[in-house]
Structures are given as structure tokens and as C-alpha cells.
Amino acid sequence: MAAAAQAGKIDVHRHLVTPAMDELLAHRGSRTLAGFAVPEWSEVAFMAALQADGIQTAITSVVLPGIQAEAAELSAFSRSSNEFSRELVERHPKRLGFFAHVPLPFTAQACAEAIHALDVLKADGVVLLASNAGKFLGDPLFDELMHELNARSAVVFVHPNVPARDPLGLGTPLGVVEFPCDIARAGLNLILSGCMERFHKIRWILSHAGGFLPYVAWRISLANTMQEFGDTATQGVLTYLRRFYLDTATSVSRPTMATLGELIEPSQLLFGSDAPFAPEQQTQAQIGQLVASGFWSAGQAARVERSNALSLFPAYRQPGETVAALPVYQQESLSSQAKRQVLAPLRSLAQKLRE
């Protein structure tokens, strides 16, 4: 644990502002994303912030929440941003990695970019917005992309999106309320659509501690009793929910961490700062408070800040560090499939009686 603390944190939620983003925002006459001001960015300042924040390795991502674009523009943005990210990695090996941006909702172009980024640029994974043009992850529109990611056992970092305007007219900040809603809806759709069952080799990281999803876990598990999900979420809703990795970005508090402690394995929680859109020092101070109060041990904090991420990204381990093996997630067994098919008429009858 002391070695982990000395090696420094691994931040899985740290954003870049690429030249392609500067150009895209300039064309729209805006310098905001989802209501948040986009800061000026420089490589020197970025690396200095890593040092000041005690970050040994940052897995960076580029996202465009709230931005609409055509296929050609978005594809060009993805390629330029990914190549920029790769160049940064080459200049700062072991200090930087990256999740590749892909141009969803345009599935064919997203597949091409994901293949190039993972196979040629050697990205650590891909970043996907939870919703894209009104379609949530798990939608059949994206199945071709899921096939490519599953074939590569890819890590997918899920970042929230916001609608183009306030859909309910409440006047609440979209980036405050809609972010956790978007993540929760995507996580639930990934489960109930059968995406997590069919593409079981993909490792999913839900940012912002899964949004609202952990707090409605029992309620959504009631879907297990609904016939329409019997052939999709075949192993039970909570089985799939517990496969998600969650990051700490803007989510560290005693009540939140207590909820997660009841729901997921300790190894599923990863350090994420959301810098530069949120101050990294805030997350670190909140983790320090959990340790100081005795809610977390120093060992628990060290695992969240570094060791857990090494299982997903072992290339960033330091000499002498041990890395825990990833759990192996299996699809539904043949015997379970057979049992489910035998019981299908009874479930159908029970559903009709309820109706």
C-alpha cells in the first residue's frame, strides 16, 4: 500500500482540450460544453497539474457533450483528437494513456475509428457518450460497434451527454441534473437490452459513480420479474450492474461511498478527477476526509487511487508492483438457457395472470 501511494494515482477521468476541439467550438462561436466553460489548455500546464496533483498516470479523454455534428465533421474530429492524444502519449510514456473518441451516432464511422484507434494507435480503450442523438448505449443501432469492442476485450469509458435543450423546461443546469440521469439510463439500457450479456468481454467504466443508477438498484432489479427481459438480462439485473466499474469524479461523499460499498466489489471503484472541469484537489480532499474519519482505511484509499485501475491497465504498473487478475465474466450457461426455455410457458402464464 505504501508502494502504491508512492507510485502516485491513476486518474481514469481527465480531459484534454485538443486543437480539433478548439476549432470545432470556434466554428460554433462558443466556449462551453454542457454549460461548463472550456478552459484554455497547454501541454506544459497539463503536465504540471499532473505533478501537483500527485497523478502518476492519466488516462485522458476528449468529449463533446451537448454538441451536434454531421458525420464528416465528427469523424474528422475523432481522428485528429486521437492522433493528438497518441502524440502526447509518445512524448510522455507511462504518464499518459488515452480513451479514443469515436464518432457516434454514426456507427459505421465509429467502427472504423475504433479499429484504427485500438489496433494502430494502441489506445487504452474508447470513450462513448451515454446517449447519442437520442439513442442510449445498448441500442441495436450500435451493435456493430459492440461486436468490434467485444472482439478486442476493450475498456469502454462512458461519459454523460446532455440534450440540446432542457427537455422538461425546469431551468435546472443540464450538466448538474442530466449528467447523472444520462449515465443511469445508459447503464440500465446496457443491462436490459442484453448488450452486457451478448458482449460480455467489454469492460465498462461508468463515470460519476454511475449517476443515479446505484441508488435505484433494488428498484430496477424488479425487471427480473418481467417477462420481456427474461431473454435479455438472463443472469439477473444486479449481476450485470455489479460488473460496472465506477469512477469517483465529483461523487466522493460518505453517503455515496456507503451505497457503493453495499453494491459493488471494492475492486470496481476507480479514481477519477474530471479535471480540468472539476478541481482534482477537491476529490483528493474528500478521499482524505474519508480516511481521517475512519470510514476508509489508508489501504482502501490506495486501492481506489491506483491498484484497482492497474487490473484494467497493467501496462502502467511500476517495477515490483503486483496486479490483481481481472474477474472473468461468463455468458449464461447452456443448462441455464435450457431451464429458462422450459419455464418460459409458466412465466408467460404468470405474466398474463398479473395483467
Side-chain angles (χ1 to χ4, degrees):
M1 290 180 289
Q6 185 176 5
K9 296 186 285 289
I10 296 177
D11 189 348
V12 302
H13 189 159
R14 204 170 188 103
H15 294 301
L16 295 179
V17 180
T18 64
M21 180 182 288
D22 285 331
E23 182 179 350
L24 184 146
L25 293 176
H27 285 168
R28 284 159 173 74
S30 171
R31 192 70 189 178
T32 63
L33 289 172
F36 297 100
V38 177
E40 296 297 326
W41 189 92
S42 75
E43 183 176 343
V44 171
F46 183 81
M47 298 306 298
L50 291 188
Q51 194 68 24
D53 295 341
I55 306 296
Q56 175 62 32
T57 303
I59 314 295
T60 65
S61 53
V62 181
V63 292
L64 294 172
I67 296 292
Q68 303 287 333
E70 297 298 324
E73 182 184 29
L74 198 55
S75 295
F77 172 85
S78 295
R79 179 59 57 92
S80 176
S81 293
N82 292 337
E83 290 181 345
F84 180 83
S85 298
R86 180 68 235 173
E87 290 167 3
L88 283 178
V89 169
E90 290 174 354
R91 288 196 292 273
H92 305 282
K94 297 289 188 180
R95 297 300 309 280
L96 296 180
F98 76 103
F99 294 118
H101 186 278
V102 299
L104 285 184
F106 309 105
T107 305
Q109 292 88 335
C111 286
E113 188 59 34
I115 292 168
H116 177 76
L118 294 170
D119 295 355
V120 179
L121 300 182
K122 304 302 180 183
D124 294 284
V126 300
V127 56
L128 303 180
L129 292 181
S131 62
N132 298 268
K135 299 287 188 180
F136 285 88
L137 297 180
D139 192 281
L141 177 65
F142 307 135
D143 275 0
E144 184 182 354
L145 176 61
M146 297 302 114
H147 278 289
E148 297 294 348
L149 297 175
N150 192 67
R152 291 162 175 78
S153 300
V155 178
V156 177
F157 177 65
V158 181
H159 192 278
N161 199 1
V162 294
R165 63 182 185 279
D166 183 354
L168 301 177
L170 293 175
T172 53
L174 291 179
V176 173
V177 176
E178 292 301 324
F179 266 14
C181 287
D182 208 57
I183 286 287
R185 289 168 178 148
L188 180 56
N189 201 47
L190 285 168
I191 294 171
L192 296 185
S193 68
C195 186
M196 294 188 72
E197 171 65 21
R198 290 181 293 126
F199 306 113
H200 66 288
K201 295 180 182 179
I202 298 174
R203 304 286 174 162
W204 299 92
I205 303 173
L206 300 186
S207 59
H208 301 290
F212 294 138
L213 194 59
Y215 313 104
V216 293
W218 180 83
R219 187 174 182 87
I220 66 173
S221 73
L222 296 179
N224 293 332
T225 67
M226 301 175 185
Q227 183 183 2
E228 57 266 40
F229 303 119
D231 293 325
T232 54
T234 57
Q235 298 186 61
V237 168
L238 291 182
T239 297
Y240 301 106
L241 196 155
R242 291 182 172 121
R243 292 181 181 182
F244 287 124
Y245 289 81
L246 309 177
D247 82 22
T248 62
T250 61
S251 301
V252 179
S253 70
R254 187 168 183 143
T256 300
M257 295 300 112
T259 300
L260 298 187
E262 293 291 328
L263 183 65
I264 64 171
E265 292 295 325
S267 59
Q268 304 292 106
L269 188 59
L270 310 174
F271 179 82
S273 69
D274 202 13
F277 293 94
E280 190 279 337
Q281 296 88 344
Q282 181 183 56
T283 300
Q284 185 56 40
Q286 291 166 327
I287 291 176
Q289 290 170 8
L290 294 182
V291 174
S293 68
F295 181 79
W296 273 0
S297 68
Q300 285 175 293
R303 285 189 286 272
V304 170
E305 292 178 335
R306 181 173 181 85
S307 303
N308 290 347
L310 283 176
S311 294
L312 288 170
F313 310 108
Y316 300 108
R317 65 183 175 185
Q318 297 292 313
E321 273 190 299
T322 58
V323 177
L326 285 172
V328 177
Y329 298 135
Q330 302 287 352
Q331 291 179 298
E332 183 188 22
S333 67
L334 292 176
S335 60
S336 178
Q337 289 179 33
K339 180 179 178 181
R340 180 164 49 81
Q341 291 168 2
V342 168
L343 295 177
L346 293 178
R347 289 199 305 269
S348 179
L349 176 61
Q351 180 72 14
K352 290 178 180 178
L353 291 174
R354 281 198 298 268
E355 294 171 354

